Amino acid sequence: MTPRPNILVIMADQMAPSALACHGGAAKTPHISALAEDGIVFDAAYCNSPLCSPSRAVFMSGRLPSKTGVYDNAAEFRSDIPTFAHHLRLAGYRTTLTGKMHFCGADQLHGFERRLTTDIYPADFGWTPDWDRPEARPSWYHNMSSVIDAGLCVRSNQIDFDEEVVHAAEKDVFDHVRGQDRQRPFCLVVSLAHPHDPYAIPERWWKLYSDDEIPPPRLPLDRRKLHPHEERLWQVCDMDQTPISAEQVRRARRAYYGAISYVDDHVGRLMQALKATSLAENTIVIVTSDHGEMLGERGFWYKMSFFEGASRVPLIVHAPKLFSPRRVTQAVSLADILPTLAEIGNDGALPDSVSEIDGRSLLPHLCGKGGHDEAIGEYLAEGAIAPIIMIRRGAHKFVHSPADPDQLYDLSIDPDECHNLAGDPSHAPVLAALRAEVAERWDLTALDAAVRDSQRRRHLVAQALAQGELASWDFQPRRDASREYIRNHMDLDDLEARARFPSVR
């Protein structure tokens, strides 16, 4: 009987697929490219909400933000929402998380049996937006310092974090083959902070690129043509107060490409650990990101919109023993990860409880048997003043909000989304059908009210909890030093023999 495959998920933060070599980009990523060459590459994979915490909650649960209440970067992810970690754990997998997942609230595990590091971001309600005050720019939110201060560094907060994350992941792989429960398959999620801004990277990765190798943005800023949502993002990120020079743009993009190469080196380290432990052939490796990065296109940075740069994500599935290499052109999304992993973990049978989710299994795509062509998105955070909805199906992308003009793009002929077809009479039937679909899928008035109510409650709770003694929700990794390395209550010969790999006994 063939053992069930192990699963290694490597999630980068804010990594745009257009920058990767396997998608024709300029970033130097030999390890990711090797996985792409022997794996399945999804050319139209999307996040379901272009912001860290909401996107990751969809990734974990297969449910859209309107279903979970994870509207923004400070919304609680409830403990009663099943995740793929719960499903795999029920199926007998050892589920482990190392790195960022930006869970807000007291539950910092959400089905993971073990979590090896703390998070890089806070777990409280302090970053709650305020739709009741759309003119007020949050002091804690993105500004343009990441761009104007971009360039070289010797060390950074993110370097400290990712070094700890990957070291813990490598050790966990070796602990698995040295452990007593090594017959259990594992699901290990390794979530890095790079290449998320600030755009700063050490010399080793900065010098991988020359100035001539850094392509400038293809689409310039045109303030006269900004969509109202773009105007609000311009204000909320303080772009209107911070002129950016061409040199600063180049340095920011060079550091970003360097940060992607830094991520790629860590992918190489993890793959080497799998090979050294003879686990590589029976491990499905998934590489993805929580959202993209505009990186100066249209004059914009970061994410927070449904333009391709912000909402598309890389998605590579590497398992040559199970799936033949191919490229998938249909639209899929991070909501599809849960049913895919649940089906794999249950030997091809999808648990009945998965029927309530918004995602669909990617196994038909992986096996070359067709599959769906649809990605659904919701954005309910900073820069919005009402729900923003996205439907990507076939060649079309439709973006709708009650507060803003509609946007309709034909990506087959307009991949840069320069021509909004919502006012084109020839596309009126397509527009009408999509508007009718939105009205059937969502009660946007009720969703707007729910978002505002959640924000008001969280503002009150955050203000109250800031008074007096702080009781933090941030994850505290458990560590018992009395059981580490060499201690007097352990048999030394037995200890050294068990810790050595390959075993000498």
Side-chain angles (χ1 to χ4, degrees), residues 352-428:
D352 292 339
S353 56
V354 174
S355 63
E356 300 176 359
I357 65 170
D358 297 297
R360 283 176 275 184
S361 175
L362 297 173
L363 273 184
H365 295 292
L366 298 177
C367 297
K369 298 179 180 179
H372 62 280
D373 180 15
E374 180 181 272
I376 304 296
E378 300 173 348
Y379 184 71
L380 306 163
E382 295 82 9
I385 55 175
I388 300 175
I389 303 302
M390 184 272 287
I391 299 174
R392 168 72 209 277
R393 188 184 299 117
H396 290 109
K397 181 195 287 183
F398 178 57
V399 182
H400 172 80
S401 174
D404 299 324
D406 285 337
Q407 295 171 279
L408 176 65
Y409 301 102
D410 184 337
L411 298 180
S412 66
I413 59 175
D414 181 25
D416 290 328
E417 300 167 292
C418 295
H419 306 290
N420 184 1
L421 302 174
D424 185 339
S426 67
H427 284 79

Side-chain angles (χ1 to χ4, degrees), residues 190-490:
V190 183
S191 187
L192 304 173
H194 285 85
H196 192 290
D197 61 288
Y199 313 112
I201 200 70
E203 185 177 24
R204 172 182 167 185
W205 294 278
W206 175 268
K207 292 183 73 173
L208 287 175
Y209 301 86
S210 66
D211 288 350
D212 293 340
E213 293 177 290
I214 305 303
R218 295 191 318 278
L219 303 175
L221 167 70
D222 188 343
R223 289 297 303 272
R224 299 167 300 173
K225 296 183 179 180
L226 291 187
H227 185 268
H229 179 57
E230 291 178 276
E231 285 281 8
R232 292 191 298 272
L233 292 180
W234 190 262
Q235 185 267 337
V236 80
C237 291
D238 209 27
M239 298 180 193
D240 52 349
Q241 301 296 320
T242 314
I244 304 295
S245 70
E247 171 64 13
Q248 288 168 329
V249 170
R250 183 190 59 74
R251 290 179 65 83
R253 288 171 70 92
R254 181 172 174 177
Y256 181 79
Y257 287 122
I260 292 179
S261 294
Y262 173 81
V263 169
D264 186 72
D265 280 357
H266 285 322
V267 171
R269 286 175 59 183
L270 294 169
M271 293 306 299
Q272 180 56 39
L274 291 179
K275 291 173 184 174
T277 53
S278 299
L279 295 171
E281 288 196 356
N282 194 42
T283 299
I284 298 172
V285 179
I286 299 173
V287 177
T288 190
S289 181
D290 55 353
H291 48 72
E293 159 68 68
M294 290 300 289
L295 207 64
E297 297 292 344
R298 303 174 179 270
F300 280 83
W301 299 83
Y302 318 131
K303 53 270 186 180
M304 305 165 294
S305 79
F306 284 111
F307 284 120
E308 290 287 278
S311 62
R312 264 189 64 212
V313 297
L315 181 57
I316 300 167
V317 179
H318 180 268
K321 295 291 185 180
L322 297 175
F323 312 120
S324 300
R326 64 174 53 86
R327 298 190 82 100
V328 176
T329 59
Q330 296 102 313
V332 301
S333 75
L334 293 181
D336 303 328
I337 298 297
L338 181 144
T340 305
L341 297 185
E343 193 168 1
I344 290 171
N346 286 275
D347 294 321
L350 204 58
D352 292 339
S353 56
V354 174
S355 63
E356 300 176 359
I357 65 170
D358 297 297
R360 283 176 275 184
S361 175
L362 297 173
L363 273 184
H365 295 292
L366 298 177
C367 297
K369 298 179 180 179
H372 62 280
D373 180 15
E374 180 181 272
I376 304 296
E378 300 173 348
Y379 184 71
L380 306 163
E382 295 82 9
I385 55 175
I388 300 175
I389 303 302
M390 184 272 287
I391 299 174
R392 168 72 209 277
R393 188 184 299 117
H396 290 109
K397 181 195 287 183
F398 178 57
V399 182
H400 172 80
S401 174
D404 299 324
D406 285 337
Q407 295 171 279
L408 176 65
Y409 301 102
D410 184 337
L411 298 180
S412 66
I413 59 175
D414 181 25
D416 290 328
E417 300 167 292
C418 295
H419 306 290
N420 184 1
L421 302 174
D424 185 339
S426 67
H427 284 79
V430 174
L431 182 68
L434 288 166
R435 287 180 66 92
E437 181 176 344
V438 168
E440 184 177 351
R441 278 181 178 262
W442 288 275
D443 182 342
L444 294 183
T445 300
L447 180 55
D448 185 292
V451 171
R452 293 174 188 272
D453 180 61
S454 171
Q455 290 176 357
R456 292 166 188 153
R457 286 185 280 107
R458 285 182 282 137
H459 281 298
L460 187 152
V461 170
Q463 291 168 12
L465 296 184
Q467 308 300 313
E469 185 174 344
L470 175 67
S472 174
W473 291 333
D474 300 304
F475 183 70
Q476 302 289 339
R478 294 188 180 95
R479 181 174 177 180
D480 184 355
S482 71
R483 297 180 181 273
E484 295 181 337
Y485 303 113
I486 298 171
R487 299 294 183 263
N488 280 328
H489 67 278
M490 304 173 181

